[in-house]
Amino acid sequence: MATTTSTPATGAAPAPKYPDQVTGMDILVRALRMVGIDTMYGLVGIPVTEVAYIAQMQGMRFVGFRHEQQAGMAAATHGYLTHTPGVLLTVSSLGFLNGLTATTNATVNCYPMIQISGSSEREPIDLLQGTYEGLDQLSIAKPLVKAAYRVNRPEDIPTAVVRAYRAAISGRPGGVYLDVTTPTLGAIMDATEADKLFYSPVDLCPAMPPAPEAVKRAAELIATARKPAFIFGKGAAYARVEDRLKALVDKTGIPYFPMSMAKGILPDDGPLSALSCRSTIMEESDVVVLVGARLNWLLSRGKGKWSADTKFVQLDIDPEEIDINRPVAAPVVGDLASSLDALIAALPDKMAMDASWVPSLQAQTKEKNARFAQRLEANAAASPMNHWTALNAIKPVLEANPDVILVNEGANTLDDTRDTINMSRPRHRIDCATWAIMGMGMGSCVGAAVSTGKSVVAVEGDSAFGFSGMDFSTICRFKLPVTVVIFNNGGIYNGIGVNPSGGSDPAPTTLDVNARYDKLGEAFGAKSYYVTTPSELSEALAEAIASKAPAMIDVQLGADSGKESGHIGYLNPAPLEDFTV
């Protein structure tokens, strides 16, 4: 395949004489293959278009998007689900910035990901001489990602790729930025010299066992606890330690509470699941064991309802995560697999747990679940539908298809779906996670479907879908088994906002309750449904999942369905009971 490289800044470069010569682009793709990368997500243009073509030529799958942010969300989801860095390819300047949102989000959420961006030649950038897309990308990326490197010579590309891979996957995973200059991409090398650059890297993600004294300290605290609880985070899901967690729970009899993306590590409806007892755990537990979970805002930073007497055991790969909000009595720093193996071995066969603790949580779970079921049943026939009506129709379909991966984002749509849909398998729920970032929906659908081959269902609020909706076309172009369900209540939170000035402009939270999202699905060739009743919704969803083809379901809700979730009281004139658990 002949290769030429040109930009407005440098003019045409000479073409390599294959097979005796190769370019930096050839070396880059081969280096990615060297570390086992077989899929790349991105959006092409100057100066990386040929990288994507070469990737396809060398047997790598390239998934092209409409927007770099969605391609990055796909790469991040790929990394989370596979334990292998997802790779994002972007053009320079604004393309780089669009993708950087996803790479930063991957860093915060500990997803292994590598963003590779072409960049303009250095000299006019450094002198601010107004070159084509002359952004100092490396300087911008460095404070926002786990690691960032620039490649200025084709000879350094394999080393840079290996370093990026190690940084992304080892320790606490995260996003890595790899800046490859246009001269480097277009540089020509003799093929025989290029061959000498490649090697097989050893132990890219080494185990990091914890200190024995740390394990002993944690085991003693857990064994003597009267009201202990485990909290599982998405770090535990990513680490693939569900068998070890089952062994830990079976040995100790201690109840567990899964965070949102940890749902399904052990069954949400298991006998020791305390999913409905969050407040009780916070108020009454004397020892709480955080397993791959951070004591951040999602757990009130250890404050609020938390008892001042609660002692924490924390299993984490990163020592800097310890003591960030509350003192941790027994930190266990190491990879979760090694830490759990050591902890299970160190725990005695008999715990000091209060005999009434588990039965009291089980009774509370039964009571709260009954109340929740009543809420769903009371809204089952609402017309027009509200969130609970729609979820009551979706719940049995999804729970009958436990191997379907659920992608979920929105405001009410996120909260209510999380509380309604039980998960029974690990890594089958993907949402906006730690930063609560909107606009991950279509990208995460693509990343999940491509990386696992499984069917995916996205449950989206209409506002959330708007961030990424155009990349439903990517789902269709690649014929992925993805069903997108859009809850249309016509607004951000709801569609009944009022312009306080009395003017004709819509309120800040108002979108369009009459929008027909199913027509967008039709435009891209997907099987599309417009549903207004629960029976129509459940039938459409079951049919769409069974088809294993792109599908879109536009769920018409009432404009008054939903509430403002930022505690701005006057925007919710009719108080609604909060069933969030």
Side-chain angles (χ1 to χ4, degrees):
M1 177 179 175
T3 303
T4 60
T5 303
S6 63
T7 72
T10 62
K17 297 176 182 178
Y18 286 107
D20 297 326
Q21 294 178 323
V22 295
T23 66
M25 291 178 279
D26 296 287
I27 296 171
L28 174 60
V29 173
R30 186 173 168 186
L32 291 169
R33 297 287 288 170
M34 178 182 77
V35 294
I37 301 297
D38 60 10
T39 303
M40 187 185 300
Y41 304 89
L43 199 161
V44 299
I46 296 171
V48 299
T49 302
E50 290 167 272
V51 175
Y53 275 105
I54 292 169
Q56 286 187 330
M57 183 180 68
Q58 293 193 19
M60 185 181 294
R61 190 174 194 187
F62 182 82
V63 183
F65 279 74
R66 296 295 190 96
H67 196 282
E68 293 90 351
Q69 180 176 305
Q70 291 312 301
M73 295 299 181
T77 299
H78 182 117
Y80 170 71
L81 292 176
T82 67
H83 244 218
T84 301
V87 174
L88 166 66
L89 179 69
T90 78
V91 301
S92 50
S93 191
L94 292 180
F96 150 78
L97 288 172
N98 289 340
L100 189 61
T101 299
T103 311
T104 304
N105 190 57
T107 302
V108 170
N109 282 290
C110 310
Y111 307 145
M113 174 184 166
I114 301 171
Q115 177 179 348
I116 302 173
S117 296
S119 64
S120 295
E121 56 184 339
R122 292 303 315 159
E123 292 82 1
I125 291 179
D126 292 340
L127 282 173
L128 300 178
Q129 291 177 318
T131 190
Y132 176 71
E133 297 192 341
L135 188 67
D136 190 354
Q137 296 168 194
L138 185 69
S139 296
I140 291 171
K142 272 186 175 181
L144 299 174
V145 298
K146 184 180 179 185
Y149 310 102
R150 175 178 290 131
V151 189
N152 292 304
R153 305 187 310 156
E155 295 90 340
D156 295 329
I157 290 174
T159 297
V161 168
V162 171
R163 291 191 69 187
Y165 191 108
R166 287 189 186 277
I169 203 78
S170 61
R172 171 167 281 182
V176 177
Y177 174 62
L178 195 58
D179 187 277
V180 189
T181 65
T182 295
T184 302
L185 291 169
I188 295 173
M189 286 190 68
D190 288 342
T192 54
E193 292 301 309
D195 286 343
K196 299 174 184 178
L197 302 174
F198 300 99
Y199 61 101
S200 298
V202 177
D203 203 5
L204 286 165
C205 186
M208 298 177 65
E213 59 270 21
V215 175
K216 182 175 183 291
R217 184 189 307 118
E220 290 174 349
L221 187 57
I222 294 168
T224 57
R226 302 295 292 166
K227 294 184 176 182
F230 294 122
I231 294 182
F232 302 151
K234 68 177 179 295
Y238 169 78
R240 298 173 175 264
V241 292
E242 49 269 16
D243 290 345
R244 291 173 172 88
L245 291 176
K246 183 178 186 304
L248 179 65
V249 169
D250 287 347
K251 181 172 185 176
T252 62
I254 293 173
Y256 59 87
F257 176 90
M259 301 299 290
S260 182
M261 282 181 59
K263 284 166 63 69
I265 288 182
L266 297 181
D268 286 357
D269 58 359
L272 289 175
S273 172
L275 187 58
S276 300
C277 303
R278 171 185 170 125
S279 294
T280 302
I281 289 172
M282 295 169 77
E283 293 168 357
E284 298 186 23
S285 285
D286 57 344
V287 173
V288 169
V289 185
L290 301 166
V291 184
R294 294 183 284 198
L295 201 60
N296 59 12
W297 70 274
L298 292 166
L299 289 173
S300 302
R301 297 189 296 279
K303 299 174 174 60
K305 289 184 178 180
W306 283 98
S307 168
D309 297 325
T310 301
K311 294 181 179 178
F312 289 94
V313 176
Q314 187 168 8
L315 279 62
D316 202 284
I317 191 72
D318 186 359
E320 293 185 10
E321 191 62 37
I322 308 302
D323 293 338
I324 64 169
N325 279 306
R326 281 274 295 264
V328 173
V332 180
V333 177
D335 70 273
L336 286 185
S338 299
S339 296
L340 287 168
D341 285 342
L343 184 61
I344 291 168
L347 284 166
D349 293 330
K350 185 174 179 59
M351 302 290 116
M353 185 165 52
D354 189 323
S356 66
W357 176 233
V358 170
S360 70
L361 293 178
Q362 290 172 332
Q364 187 179 138
T365 294
K366 184 177 181 180
E367 177 188 353
K368 287 193 172 184
N369 286 353
R371 290 173 57 210
F372 195 85
Q374 291 173 1
R375 156 61 73 94
L376 292 176
E377 183 61 30
N379 287 275
S383 182
M385 289 190 288
N386 58 40
H387 290 80
W388 302 112
T389 318
L391 288 168
N392 193 51
I394 288 173
K395 179 179 173 69
V397 180
L398 285 184
E399 292 180 3
N401 291 274
D403 208 35
V404 169
I405 294 175
L406 172 62
V407 174
N408 186 205
E409 65 173 335
N412 294 271
T413 304
L414 173 71
D415 294 338
D416 298 345
T417 302
R418 180 189 62 238
D419 292 345
T420 302
I421 308 299
N422 282 331
M423 308 302 295
S424 58
R425 299 187 183 180
R427 296 171 298 281
H428 278 64
R429 177 183 167 82
I430 299 166
D431 60 35
C432 40
T434 298
W435 265 3
I437 187 171
M438 292 291 181
M440 42 69 66
M442 298 305 97
S444 288
C445 285
V446 173
V450 168
S451 66
T452 68
K454 295 185 177 185
S455 295
V456 178
V457 170
V459 179
E460 302 264 316
D462 55 337
S463 172
F465 177 73
F467 285 88
S468 65
M470 196 63 183
D471 266 304
F472 183 73
S473 67
T474 303
I475 292 169
C476 295
R477 275 186 292 120
F478 285 85
K479 299 179 173 59
L480 300 175
V482 175
T483 299
V484 176
V485 181
I486 303 170
F487 284 8
N488 182 16
N489 65 349
I492 302 168
Y493 308 120
N494 56 54
I496 58 173
V498 177
N499 183 335
S501 74
S504 60
D505 285 347
T509 54
T510 299
L511 299 175
D512 185 357
V513 74
N514 296 312
R516 288 292 299 271
Y517 295 101
D518 58 309
K519 300 298 183 183
L520 178 63
E522 289 180 8
F524 293 119
K527 176 67 173 176
S528 297
Y529 308 81
Y530 175 71
V531 301
T532 60
T533 67
S535 60
E536 290 175 346
L537 173 54
S538 58
E539 290 170 10
L541 182 57
E543 180 180 292
I545 293 172
S547 75
K548 296 187 179 298
M552 179 174 286
I553 304 174
D554 183 347
V555 183
Q556 186 64 66
L557 304 184
D560 59 348
S561 177
K563 61 178 182 177
E564 195 280 329
S565 58
H567 308 293
I568 304 175
Y570 74 89
L571 293 181
N572 292 313
L576 298 175
E577 184 175 1
D578 185 359
F579 271 73
T580 301
V581 290

